[in-house]
Amino acid sequence: MKYETQKVALPFFMVAMALFTLQVLFGLLAATVYAWPNFMAEIMPFNIMRVSHTNLLIVWLLIGFMGSTYYLMPEEAEREIHSPNLAYLQLAIFAFAGAAALVGYQFGIHEGREFLEQPFWVKVLITISFLMFLFNTSMTLLKGRKTAINLVLMLGLWLAAVFWLFAFYNPTNLAVDKLYWWWVVHLWVEGVWELIMASLLGYLLIKMTGVDREVIEKWLYIIVGLALFSGLLGTGHHYYWIGAPSYWQPISSVFSTLEVAPFFAMVVFAFTMFWKGSRNHPNKAAMLWALGCPTIAFFGAGVWGFMHTLSFVNYYTHGTQVTAAHGHLAFYGAYVMLILGIITFAMPQLRRVQPYNQVLNMWGFWVMTSAMCFMTFTLTFAGVVQTHLQRVLGMNFMEVQSQLELFYIMRLGSGLAVAVGAGMLLYSFFGPAREQVPAGGTQMTSGAGSA
């Protein structure tokens, strides 16, 4: 590590991976209920499994973003973190709030709004923790070097905090509630989080390819422009059927279609930098994640999103398993793979060893990614069948569910494979650090100027 306070990232990554493990376990429980509806019916209702699964995903990704920011900010700003102790304190507050929410869910304590189920006092704690994080990282940035990477990253994080405030607005009118609810849920994942994604990806490519920073930063500006241009009005594809004015249907059909553009630009960006670069960085596993992330994000968020974003298609497909297919692959490609790539890159330096367990890490990559792709195809086919039976032929919901049992069993199988891949990754991160540098790779030092 070039800066000692980069080690602040390590506990963030450890907490994030612990919550990631829990998220996978709750996902397996929920997938089992789809296949066998009475599974654990007397112990834990399905809605509790689902809310635990989705909330854990959001929380560990946020902690992963924070850890990634603490890791890269000293190098980009060329100075130590403003206050490491403040970072540890805000992690403790955030982890306590998340754990309290998760335990509360098991006893039915929640506000009932999807993704925003956290009780009010938990939301307050999350806000306090996030503001402490923003203060700490912003002070580091203000006193240090400003680059396109750290400026875009902080812009994305501040905007995420601003849109989070709409989680506190809970009007009694359901249509108005849904209107602002999407300002958090959609504008995070298909708006400001894309800024965070682009900047973290840019950081990885600068470090691993050796391509001139100015070239990568120009790409970054293009991607940021495309993400904001398409993502803000693209939010309207959630307004089709909630009582909003009908003009959202043509407007959002156009802008939602354009949401493919920033993800396609990120694919071109990553592979162009890879071929222009030296390609001899010793951490081959991190490079694999850096290339895989935009590729899977393009298909999950871009292609699968486009498949049902036009209003006349969405009329039939919204709320079906097509949505679940899109959601799973989009989150996995855009954000899960990104954080796992950052951790793969950072862990050798945080543990002050050479890149290690890379073969196991890459096996984890392929097992998890293949399983997620299989799950996506399975849910897509299930969604097409569901759309035809339920929305075209008019069969009732539960009758249709009984016709999808085979797809749900296949989805459970792919979920088990994801768990196996996740286990490989966790062992490669935190297991014994055996030195393992692929042939042709240069050695990496742990001192200043490494990586």
Side-chain angles (χ1 to χ4, degrees):
M1 288 185 297
K2 189 174 182 179
Y3 295 90
E4 190 61 25
T5 52
Q6 286 181 278
K7 68 180 181 184
V8 166
L10 183 58
F12 282 81
F13 291 153
M14 294 173 72
V15 173
M17 289 299 93
L19 299 181
F20 171 53
T21 304
L22 286 175
Q23 186 226 337
V24 172
L25 291 176
F26 276 104
L28 285 175
L29 291 177
T32 306
V33 173
Y34 269 102
W36 293 283
N38 292 322
F39 176 72
M40 291 184 67
E42 302 298 325
I43 303 172
M44 183 183 298
F46 172 78
N47 68 308
I48 299 302
M49 296 176 185
R50 186 178 184 277
V51 70
S52 301
H53 176 64
T54 55
N55 275 232
L56 280 163
L57 170 66
I58 302 300
V59 170
W60 86 254
L61 286 178
L62 287 173
I63 293 176
F65 288 155
M66 292 174 182
S68 302
T69 304
Y70 282 126
Y71 183 79
L72 73 82
M73 186 59 78
E75 290 189 4
E76 288 296 302
E78 295 185 334
R79 58 166 288 117
E80 300 285 359
I81 293 291
H82 175 69
S83 172
N85 290 333
L86 188 63
Y88 295 133
L89 177 61
Q90 62 109 155
L91 172 62
I93 294 173
F94 203 102
F96 171 76
L102 182 64
V103 172
Y105 296 156
Q106 313 314 310
F107 296 96
I109 302 171
H110 56 80
E111 291 194 348
R113 302 171 74 202
E114 190 177 10
F115 299 113
L116 303 179
E117 294 93 343
Q118 311 82 28
F120 178 80
W121 67 271
V122 171
K123 288 189 174 78
V124 171
L125 283 180
I126 290 173
T127 305
I128 292 171
S129 173
F130 212 87
L131 288 176
M132 292 166 68
F133 163 73
L134 290 173
F135 171 77
N136 207 4
T137 49
S138 297
M139 289 301 292
T140 308
L141 174 62
L142 288 173
K143 294 177 180 177
R145 181 181 64 156
K146 282 78 174 175
T147 68
I149 298 291
N150 57 24
L151 287 173
V152 171
L153 176 61
M154 291 309 300
L155 175 64
L157 292 166
W158 271 103
L159 287 175
V162 169
F163 286 115
W164 164 252
L165 296 179
F166 288 97
F168 290 93
Y169 182 50
N170 190 4
T172 54
N173 184 299
L174 186 60
V176 177
D177 173 42
K178 284 294 181 185
L179 198 75
Y180 291 105
W181 179 81
W182 285 113
W183 285 28
V184 183
V185 177
H186 177 97
L187 288 178
W188 266 21
V189 299
E190 296 182 53
V192 297
W193 279 23
E194 288 182 32
L195 308 190
I196 299 170
M197 176 189 176
S199 56
L200 293 179
L201 191 59
Y203 169 79
L204 282 179
L205 292 172
I206 286 176
K207 294 297 177 184
M208 290 193 291
T209 64
V211 172
D212 189 75
R213 176 182 288 272
E214 289 185 2
V215 176
I216 287 182
E217 289 182 345
K218 286 176 183 174
W219 274 92
L220 190 58
Y221 290 130
I222 294 171
I223 292 167
V224 168
L226 288 171
L228 292 178
F229 176 73
S230 60
L232 293 178
L233 284 177
T235 306
H237 67 234
H238 297 292
Y239 294 170
Y240 293 160
W241 324 117
I242 65 169
S246 59
Y247 56 70
W248 280 110
Q249 294 186 25
I251 291 174
S252 295
S253 292
V254 172
F255 281 90
S256 293
T257 301
L258 294 175
E259 285 189 79
V260 178
F263 290 104
F264 181 71
M266 277 191 257
V267 175
V268 177
F269 166 55
F271 280 88
T272 302
M273 296 306 107
F274 175 70
W275 288 112
K276 279 187 175 181
S278 58
R279 282 177 279 168
N280 65 350
H281 193 278
N283 199 331
K284 305 297 182 188
M287 180 59 80
L288 181 63
W289 285 101
L291 294 176
C293 165
T295 305
I296 300 299
F298 167 68
F299 285 102
V303 176
W304 255 256
F306 172 73
M307 283 169 57
H308 69 145
T309 200
L310 299 174
S311 60
F312 53 87
V313 177
N314 189 272
Y315 178 78
Y316 294 96
T317 61
H318 73 279
T320 67
Q321 294 299 327
V322 175
T323 305
H326 162 55
H328 277 80
L329 198 62
F331 264 106
Y332 176 74
Y335 304 118
V336 172
M337 294 183 78
L338 178 69
I339 298 301
L340 294 178
I342 291 279
I343 295 175
T344 298
F345 175 78
M347 282 303 288
Q349 297 182 62
L350 290 171
R351 297 181 68 177
R352 299 183 187 281
V353 295
Q354 297 285 340
Y356 58 93
N357 294 338
Q358 293 203 70
V359 173
L360 184 64
N361 186 303
M362 288 189 268
W363 268 105
F365 170 94
W366 287 112
V367 170
M368 280 187 67
T369 304
S370 301
M372 286 303 300
C373 289
F374 183 80
M375 184 188 296
T376 300
F377 285 121
T378 301
L379 291 174
T380 303
F381 287 125
V384 171
V385 172
Q386 182 184 10
T387 299
H388 180 71
L389 296 180
Q390 190 173 319
R391 302 280 165 76
V392 178
L393 298 185
M395 292 174 63
N396 71 49
F397 178 81
M398 291 310 296
E399 277 184 308
V400 174
Q401 292 301 304
S402 65
Q403 303 296 317
L404 303 179
E405 184 177 331
L406 177 61
F407 294 109
Y408 291 148
I409 292 174
M410 293 167 70
R411 189 262 287 273
L412 176 60
S414 60
L416 289 169
V418 168
V420 171
M424 291 178 176
L425 277 177
L426 293 174
Y427 187 84
S428 75
F429 292 152
F430 303 111
R434 291 184 305 161
E435 182 176 321
Q436 187 176 308
V437 183
T442 57
Q443 294 294 310
M444 182 177 66
T445 63
S446 59
S450 64

